[in-house]
Amino acid sequence: MSSTSEPSFQKILTGRHAIHDFDPTVKIDRQELTQMITEATLAPSALNVQPWRIVVIDSPAMKAKIKPLMPNDVHQNETASALIVFFADLQAADNAQFIFDQTKAAGLLPAGVDERYVTMIQTIYQQMSAADLRNSFTLDTALPAMQFMLVARAHGFETGPMTGFDHEKIGSVLGMAPERYVPIIMLAVGKAASAPTESVRLPVTKILSFR
Ligand SMILES: Cc1cc2nc3c(=O)[nH]c(=O)nc-3n(C[C@H](O)[C@H](O)[C@H](O)COP(=O)(O)O)c2cc1C
């Protein structure tokens, strides 16, 4: 994409709408999907623990398998180029050492930070209640999902966010152990086949206060 043809951030932002109807003939190659996910996961997370685990469903066989789990959104299943499920990994803190080593290898370790940092992160998550851990990782995982919706538009695609799927069953169908991976949100991605339904937002005066 040349810099002159890149849509402005304003256009990407204001032109995003939840899409329900995609062009079923459009395929997005896995390399581009991987690139979009790489960009979306530049999102921040608490303690940089990056608890998101992402499954892209782009095969007709797997789309057909999960169709019964999303009865209200069958059309997105049938027409989107891919469906992307963002899970939160409740054992994400196990990666603290890996992330620490990566940071060190990149020469990005702040002065005074050493291996004790890994233990500190693991202790923080071990001491959290199950509910707090889930909330924290849910919040983290929502961030790359939102970011993906904008990244996709920068790549010329549209998305539709969905939580109306069977959260109990989606993990086992996708081979993601349900006791470990919590499904947070599914995104349909592809080329829009019809104009989106536009939506309104509450007036900013209703939701904003300054102190
Ligand atoms: C967390 C979340 C869950 C959603 N779940 C569904 C869903 O299951 N099915 C659906 O058709 N739309 C779903 N939507 C789309 C919303 O209805 C839509 O984003 C909202 O009406 C605002 O419209 P806009 O995204 O076009 O601005 C969901 C959106 C979000 C953020």
Side-chain angles (χ1 to χ4, degrees):
M1 219 188 277
S2 85
S3 60
T4 48
S5 68
E6 276 174 22
S8 70
F9 180 70
Q10 273 304 311
K11 272 199 172 148
I12 288 173
L13 185 67
T14 58
R16 187 211 58 79
H17 303 290
I19 299 299
H20 299 97
D21 180 27
F22 295 89
D23 178 346
T25 65
V26 173
K27 304 275 166 254
I28 309 175
D29 69 51
R30 288 188 172 185
Q31 203 182 342
E32 183 155 24
L33 283 163
T34 304
Q35 176 61 25
M36 287 194 275
I37 294 289
T38 305
E39 290 167 15
T41 53
L42 293 173
S45 56
L47 297 165
N48 196 26
V49 81
Q50 306 164 54
W52 44 75
R53 302 294 174 262
I54 299 162
V55 179
V56 176
I57 301 143
D58 63 350
S59 70
M62 191 51 90
K63 279 173 95 186
K65 255 190 166 169
I66 64 162
K67 205 190 312 191
L69 305 184
M70 45 193 301
N72 299 319
D73 292 314
V74 164
H75 192 66
Q76 292 95 310
N77 178 297
E78 289 174 344
T79 61
S81 307
L83 301 164
I84 305 178
V85 184
F86 288 73
F87 290 90
D89 178 4
L90 297 176
Q91 290 176 31
D94 291 354
N95 277 318
Q97 182 71 54
F98 186 88
I99 295 165
F100 177 88
D101 292 344
Q102 267 187 307
T103 310
K104 194 172 173 182
L108 297 173
L109 222 48
V113 171
D114 60 25
E115 294 277 342
R116 282 172 298 181
Y117 189 68
V118 174
T119 315
M120 185 200 81
I121 290 179
Q122 286 167 343
T123 308
I124 288 172
Y125 286 115
Q126 273 158 16
Q127 289 177 349
M128 268 190 196
S129 70
D132 285 350
L133 184 77
R134 205 178 155 116
N135 285 343
S136 178
F137 286 170
T138 298
L139 170 59
D140 288 334
T141 302
L143 301 179
M146 177 64 245
Q147 196 139 276
F148 184 91
M149 293 186 239
L150 301 180
V151 165
R153 279 184 51 73
H155 281 251
F157 299 106
E158 302 292 346
T159 57
M162 291 170 276
T163 48
F165 56 87
D166 190 328
H167 288 237
E168 299 293 314
K169 296 195 182 135
I170 192 98
S172 25
V173 174
L174 295 175
M176 301 293 284
E179 61 283 2
R180 172 167 180 177
Y181 300 102
V182 183
I184 305 299
I185 191 166
M186 182 191 293
L187 303 180
V189 59
K191 290 270 184 196
S194 51
T197 309
E198 303 221 6
S199 59
V200 296
R201 292 297 181 271
L202 293 167
V204 73
T205 48
K206 219 172 155 56
I207 55 100
L208 171 70
S209 55
F210 291 96
R211 299 279 190 271

